[in-house]
Amino acid sequence: MKRILVVDDEPAIRDLVQMVLSREGYQVMTASDGQSALVAADAVKPDLIVLDLMLPDISGHEVCRKITEQYQTPVIMLTAKNDVVDKVLGLEFGADDYITKPFDARELLARVKALLRRLDKRQGPQETIVYKDLLINLMNKTVTKSQQSLSLTPKEFQLLEVLAAHPRRIFSRDELMTLAWGYDYTGDSRAVDIHITRLRKKIEDNTSQPQYIITVYGFGYRFGGV
């Protein structure tokens, strides 16, 4: 789950951006000033920062400079000014993109997704997925829970990998069967239910109230989230 830090001194803007990004499955933290943003960036190591230019204590340009000097975190600058100089300064201080207020939430979301996609391509294939106390190593095909190794069958791991790689997305049984086991798999799609049941017994603390693999009645399954 990608972590995004939203920095803006206007509560309405913070709430709007947090709502839009959270609906897409991102983990969103917020800060209302520059100093809080620097503390949050150091504490949570976000994957991306949405940063307002006009902050009450430290300018957005300065916050951007300090963050990009220490980390490789991509930054989207928010600005109420439609001034080329401000945009150029933002880019020179390390911002990767900018958007002018008032903005369309759909445009901001599209820019966030595009920037994260470019980051993923630079970083190469994802090696691990971490959710709560579950760690899935995609390279070694291993799973640990609370640092204890779990023994999964290949089919169980393949199901878990597909679900965990797309948190909150709902998959039908047929989709899971195809994506996890391949187009040439000829078994009954209800086999997915059997493997999900076995998988839950290994990763869930309480199979009657699962927190990792959630049944969406009438549709299929999803991984985590609310």
Side-chain angles (χ1 to χ4, degrees), residues 114-128:
L115 192 49
L116 288 174
R117 279 197 301 269
R118 294 201 298 270
L119 180 65
D120 286 340
K121 288 179 180 178
R122 292 201 302 266
Q123 291 177 337
Q126 186 177 6
E127 294 187 2
T128 60

Side-chain angles (χ1 to χ4, degrees), residues 197-214:
T197 298
R198 293 172 179 170
L199 183 56
R200 279 176 171 160
K201 290 179 180 178
K202 296 178 180 180
I203 68 173
E204 301 285 0
D205 294 320
N206 183 350
T207 56
S208 63
Q209 294 182 317
Q211 59 178 326
Y212 298 103
I213 300 177
I214 312 300

Side-chain angles (χ1 to χ4, degrees), residues 75-143:
V75 175
I76 296 178
M77 189 76 79
L78 295 180
T79 172
K81 299 180 179 180
N82 193 16
D83 190 328
V84 173
V85 173
D86 281 312
K87 294 173 182 177
V88 170
L89 276 176
L91 296 172
E92 288 183 347
F93 276 111
D96 297 85
D97 199 356
Y98 62 84
I99 188 167
T100 304
K101 296 179 181 179
F103 55 86
D104 188 301
R106 293 169 297 182
E107 180 185 359
L108 176 62
L109 180 59
R111 289 173 182 262
V112 165
K113 289 183 175 181
L115 192 49
L116 288 174
R117 279 197 301 269
R118 294 201 298 270
L119 180 65
D120 286 340
K121 288 179 180 178
R122 292 201 302 266
Q123 291 177 337
Q126 186 177 6
E127 294 187 2
T128 60
I129 297 173
V130 180
Y131 180 72
K132 296 186 178 180
D133 57 352
L134 197 69
L135 189 151
I136 305 165
N137 189 310
L138 304 178
M139 305 300 289
N140 298 333
K141 306 298 183 186
T142 58
V143 179

Side-chain angles (χ1 to χ4, degrees), residues 43-196:
V44 303
K45 305 294 189 298
D47 297 291
L48 182 144
I49 298 175
V50 179
L51 176 64
D52 186 27
L53 174 63
M54 304 298 290
L55 296 173
D57 52 352
I58 310 172
S59 75
H61 287 145
E62 184 64 13
V63 174
C64 183
R65 182 186 67 80
K66 290 184 177 181
I67 286 175
T68 54
E69 281 180 353
Q70 297 182 63
Y71 316 106
Q72 295 183 335
T73 309
V75 175
I76 296 178
M77 189 76 79
L78 295 180
T79 172
K81 299 180 179 180
N82 193 16
D83 190 328
V84 173
V85 173
D86 281 312
K87 294 173 182 177
V88 170
L89 276 176
L91 296 172
E92 288 183 347
F93 276 111
D96 297 85
D97 199 356
Y98 62 84
I99 188 167
T100 304
K101 296 179 181 179
F103 55 86
D104 188 301
R106 293 169 297 182
E107 180 185 359
L108 176 62
L109 180 59
R111 289 173 182 262
V112 165
K113 289 183 175 181
L115 192 49
L116 288 174
R117 279 197 301 269
R118 294 201 298 270
L119 180 65
D120 286 340
K121 288 179 180 178
R122 292 201 302 266
Q123 291 177 337
Q126 186 177 6
E127 294 187 2
T128 60
I129 297 173
V130 180
Y131 180 72
K132 296 186 178 180
D133 57 352
L134 197 69
L135 189 151
I136 305 165
N137 189 310
L138 304 178
M139 305 300 289
N140 298 333
K141 306 298 183 186
T142 58
V143 179
T144 58
K145 186 174 188 299
S146 301
Q147 301 183 340
Q148 298 296 314
S149 179
L150 304 180
S151 178
L152 304 186
T153 67
K155 280 188 168 55
E156 289 167 357
F157 183 89
Q158 290 155 1
L159 281 174
L160 181 61
E161 180 179 3
V162 170
L163 286 163
H166 304 86
R168 299 191 183 189
R169 175 180 165 182
I170 301 171
F171 291 92
S172 69
R173 294 177 181 84
D174 288 335
E175 286 176 323
L176 285 173
M177 188 171 63
T178 299
L179 293 171
W181 301 336
Y183 289 95
D184 56 350
Y185 181 76
T186 57
D188 190 320
S189 64
R190 291 286 172 176
V192 171
D193 295 338
I194 297 172
H195 287 283
I196 290 289

